[in-house]
Amino acid sequence: MIEAKDVAKDFTLHNQGGTVLRVMEGASLHVAPGECVALTGASGSGKSTLMRMIWGNYRTDHGMIRVGDTQVSGAEPRQIIALRRATLGYVSQFLRVVPRVPTLTVVAEPLLALGQPRAQAEARAADLLTRLKIAPNLWGLSPTTFSGGEQQRVNIARGFVHPYPALLLDEPTASLDAANRETVLSLIEEAKARGAAILGIFHDEAARDRLCDRQVDVTGFTPGRAA
Amino acid sequence: MTDQAYNFAYLDEDTKRMIRRAILKGLAVPGYQVPFASREMPMPYGWGTGGVQVTAATLRPDDVLKVLDQGADDTTNAVSIRKFFQRTASVATTESTGGATVIQTRHRIPETPLTEDQILVYQVPIPEPMRFLEPRETETRRIHALADYGLMQVRLYEDIARHGEIATSYAYPVEVAGRYVMDPSPIPKFDNPKMSDCPAIQLFGAGREQRIYAVPPYTQVVSLDFDDHPFVASKAEHECAICGSGDSYLDEVITDDAGGRMFVCSDTDYCARRAEGGAA
Amino acid sequence: MTAFDPQMTGPILSVSGITKRYGARIGCADVSFDLWPGEVMGIVGESGSGKSTLLGCLSGQLEPDAGQVVWRGANGPVDTVTMAEADRRLLGRTEWAFVHQNPRDGLRMGVSAGGNVGERLMATGARDYGRIRDTAEDWLQRVEIDARRIDDRPSQFSGGMQQRLQIARNLVSGPKLAFMDEPTGGLDVSVQARLLDLLRGLVRDMGLSAVLVTHDLAVVRLLADRLMVMKDGRVVESGLTDQVLDDPQHGYTQLLVSSVLQV
């Protein structure tokens, strides 16, 4: 479902004399439907870079990345947008939303974008918010005013509201209390059980061991070491 | 008695020819505002300089001229214009609608139906019906050129929104021959239906704004409206206190300081004829 | 799948080689792109980068010196650069919309809110006052203006309300493509947010395509699917919005992105 083949990444810093930084080389991985794979490696080793290349907000200069039927490397913007709308979900560590939009709408938005009726989308969003213990009296407020843990749970609800066939998770359990952590782990297990291909970064080792079928150490993709 | 110092009807022949060209163009493109080189006239703007120039270019020595102002032949404006042409063109004048060949008018169309051998000349203060909604002349010209008249309808919409009905009671905009939207000059909307399919030639002159436009005989003139707020040619719900007419346009006349008032025909010629006929 | 499937239809707007000079100076040069149904494309760049000139050329307000703007609307493909002015005007009040930065440029300040919203309907032949008014009321509510203010003039409205009224006035005809010139410029931050949310919802619900000119990277981040970065009249970089912002390739874009506070 998710596949990377011999991917390399350069950053060209035009405003620092055109310095070219090669940050990744020879990266390959694949995630099958129903499989959960963890990206590991020390901080700064390129986990997030690889996730972003799969998500499409980092450009893939060398090699090939594919999600479902879409070749992400070299895709037209509208292909990536269509991919993100229907196929590929992403739970990042940061919530990026239009200020003043109510939480319920923020969570329902991916379903609205898919053309689902508002009532149905909001009912599904309400279910998830309930499971993630966001009090109903907060649903009408913008999540930008929430605490870090609450924002993280809103972000998760938004990422799981649509049953994406592929999911990218960036530290989904960070800053959650035990009960909420358990809920999130169940959500991920349910996604796995319905056949989602999941690629994640988990600093929470216990979570990683419980969820993941395999681990891919990105340290192996660091230029110089790979050779 | 003619003032020999002046050419026939005051204007020189070249000027009259220029104005006649504008008139012919106006007749060829009904409702279209034709620019013309309006002359200084020996009367101030607002006193009918546009109409006077059109009349001057139209008059022949054997014409019979009638001038009416708000329906009356005896107001200062009507009298002085009539005298002006008596003096500069020695034409015969009349107060009778039926007896005139050229009728210059301000703010009314006579009640007596016009005929094929008559020309009605309107004095026009502001020829552009969209002037107060769209101040740019470049834009209003483009709107006319492209027949893009949504804005005109907006004016009527605003009327209904503000007053519950189309409150425009004079200078009510019309569409001419299915093409140009035209300001009929400040005639009461009661007169609008008389413009349509009229046997006479209707000419419009705006002196200050330097525009001439025209409605040829037997041309369809439609007052703009909404399906659910149709045009109504309204008048005061009374009968003339003098001639008893129930279907002519009436002026309200205040008769004392105690609220006394009466309604009389605005068209003095029509009213006088009816009063005579009624007496006879 | 989605409510509308862009892959099935093809681009709604195809721009090729648009060039506009002001004497020896270049307004914009050789700009080409395709816009697909439902896509929102942002054009960013600093003042004088040519983004507004380009928007003018695309929307028919300026005449380009070279290039084509092919619109594929209800009546089949047509080059709007060479089409008759009457047809372009009709297009501008039916399938196209234009939202100005300053609502005064896009509204009739002397006409009531209802008249402003109703004008496009009347211009395309609507002659039923009651129905025009009902539609206007509906649209005022859609842009979060109290329908009881239908007879008030825009001069009695706040800046944010005026901008929302301008949007209603434009979208009432159910256009397929909206040109927007800094639609949130000049508004308070909180008012901007509300407007952004409104625009996003309308774009989504109407399947509207849009070309959005702004210098505000936060606005394009939230509103635009794609981004074009302009400098000195030329497109220096284009692509998926978050790719251009998060992984800019061109030196100028890198400078632009690093020059703003976090977006």
Side-chain angles (χ1 to χ4, degrees), chain C residues 52-80:
Chain C
S52 294
T53 297
L54 176 60
L55 192 71
C57 289
L58 298 180
S59 60
Q61 303 191 338
L62 291 173
E63 194 182 338
D65 296 317
Q68 286 190 321
V69 179
V70 175
W71 166 248
R72 291 188 190 79
N75 301 319
V78 56
D79 181 1
T80 63

Side-chain angles (χ1 to χ4, degrees), chain B residues 108-127:
Chain B
R108 273 313 308 275
I109 297 175
E111 302 289 355
T112 310
L114 301 175
T115 59
E116 283 184 4
D117 49 9
Q118 290 181 310
I119 296 175
L120 183 62
V121 178
Y122 296 76
Q123 298 172 201
V124 180
I126 297 164

Side-chain angles (χ1 to χ4, degrees), chain B residues 133-134 139 142-143 146 148 150-151 153-154 157-158 160-162 225-229, chain C residues 85-86 89 93 108 111-112 114-115 119 122-123 127-130 132-133 150-151 153:
Chain B
L133 286 167
E134 178 51 74
E139 179 62 15
R142 192 171 288 130
I143 287 171
L146 300 172
D148 192 6
L151 185 56
Q153 212 69 26
V154 171
Y157 171 95
E158 290 292 284
I160 305 175
R162 207 162 302 150
D225 63 1
F226 286 96
D227 297 343
D228 48 348
H229 286 266
Chain C
E85 190 184 355
R89 259 176 108 92
R93 63 170 45 114
R108 293 193 188 280
V111 168
S112 69
E119 182 172 348
M122 293 182 245
R127 290 292 179 271
D128 187 305
Y129 174 83
I132 292 165
R133 205 166 162 83
I150 188 167
D151 294 329
R153 293 186 178 187

Side-chain angles (χ1 to χ4, degrees), chain C residues 101-103 159-160 163 181-189 191-192 215-216:
Chain C
Q101 171 174 8
N102 186 344
Q163 195 57 299
D181 189 4
E182 304 271 12
T184 59
L187 298 176
D188 291 345
V189 179
V191 178
Q192 271 194 23
H215 64 270
D216 189 336

